[in-house]
Amino acid sequence: MARLVLKSNGFDERVLDLKLGVNRLGRSPDADFQVEHPTISGVHCELSVVDGEILVRDCGSTNGTFFAGEPVKEARVGAGQSFCVGEVELFVESTDVAISIPKFEIPVAAPPVVRTDGSMICPHHEGAPVTHRCSHCMEVMCDHCVTRLRRRGGKILKLCPFCSHQVELIGGDKKKKRKGLLGFLQKTVKMPLFHQSHADDK
């Protein structure tokens, strides 16, 4: 973390830990770092961490901002160097910036409950029987969990709601038996032939 230390008398080496972005320093209570001293203006300067250095910008202060003994409107100050706001010396102890990445806990579903008859209860819908399993992540689910996507031609694609891969019906897909050619001919040919035979009898 970027850190400054007030080295002037009366501040007991007070530490200022800079936050990301712009930090305003001055006597005003609205400043990010309030430093009470007669030579410091209400909002004296702005401090920010840029490329491993402290970028100091004077905000039109009455008594000025100084680096290496010279008044500056803007200056880059590295670790181990000092600058002054009015008559108050600030030592740059560190210019490190720590960025914390929040951790997101992904809830893990409870394992499915197995009944005495061997069937399973969906871990995502209480009381619903398990009917499908993902072919990729092997997650088991009930019919309510399955994501359905209608494709061209009216065919429905069943997908896993967790990884979007196809799911399969547990126990095999029970398809309706297709009628053979004979059954088709009986429906389409039998009736016309029947009417024709009656016409011949007349």
Side-chain angles (χ1 to χ4, degrees):
M1 182 178 293
R3 176 169 292 182
L4 306 179
V5 180
L6 293 169
K7 287 291 187 179
S8 297
N9 292 333
F11 292 103
D12 298 323
E13 296 201 347
R14 175 184 163 192
V15 173
L16 308 179
D17 289 324
L18 302 187
K19 60 182 176 62
L20 290 175
V22 177
N23 302 261
R24 298 187 305 165
L25 184 147
R27 278 202 335 268
S28 170
D30 296 329
D32 297 300
F33 297 104
Q34 187 178 9
V35 179
E36 290 287 348
H37 194 273
T39 64
I40 292 181
S41 299
V43 178
H44 196 103
C45 65
E46 293 181 343
L47 310 169
S48 53
V49 182
V50 179
D51 297 330
E53 295 178 312
I54 304 295
L55 179 63
V56 183
R57 287 196 181 100
D58 186 82
C59 296
S61 63
T62 303
N63 294 296
T65 300
F66 301 85
F67 178 58
E70 299 293 328
V72 293
K73 292 293 182 183
E74 183 175 302
R76 287 175 176 260
V77 186
Q81 296 180 310
S82 297
F83 65 97
C84 292
V85 289
E87 295 179 4
V88 177
E89 180 186 359
L90 290 98
F91 174 75
V92 180
E93 184 177 280
S94 170
T95 58
D96 296 333
V97 178
I99 301 175
S100 60
I101 301 174
K103 293 182 179 180
F104 295 95
E105 295 292 337
I106 300 175
V108 179
V113 177
V114 181
R115 292 172 170 169
T116 54
D117 61 358
S119 62
M120 293 182 289
I121 300 296
C122 178
H124 311 287
H125 293 90
E126 187 177 355
V130 168
T131 56
H132 293 78
R133 179 176 53 227
C134 178
S135 58
H136 179 74
C137 69
M138 304 307 290
E139 182 75 22
V140 293
M141 64 202 76
C142 67
D143 194 60
H144 299 292
C145 296
V146 178
T147 301
R148 288 169 171 80
L149 180 66
R150 187 174 293 278
R151 296 184 293 179
R152 183 179 296 177
K155 294 182 179 180
I156 297 176
L157 188 64
K158 296 182 179 181
L159 303 174
C160 174
F162 310 105
C163 69
S164 299
H165 284 75
Q166 278 190 271
V167 297
E168 55 190 13
L169 189 66
I170 291 179
D173 193 4
K174 297 178 181 178
K175 296 181 179 179
K176 292 182 179 179
K177 292 183 179 180
R178 298 181 62 184
K179 293 187 177 180
L181 180 60
L182 182 59
F184 175 76
L185 290 175
Q186 285 176 344
K187 279 193 172 183
T188 57
V189 178
K190 184 176 181 180
M191 294 305 293
L193 289 177
F194 176 77
H195 288 299
Q196 183 65 39
S197 61
H198 279 277
D200 292 341
D201 292 339
K202 294 178 181 180

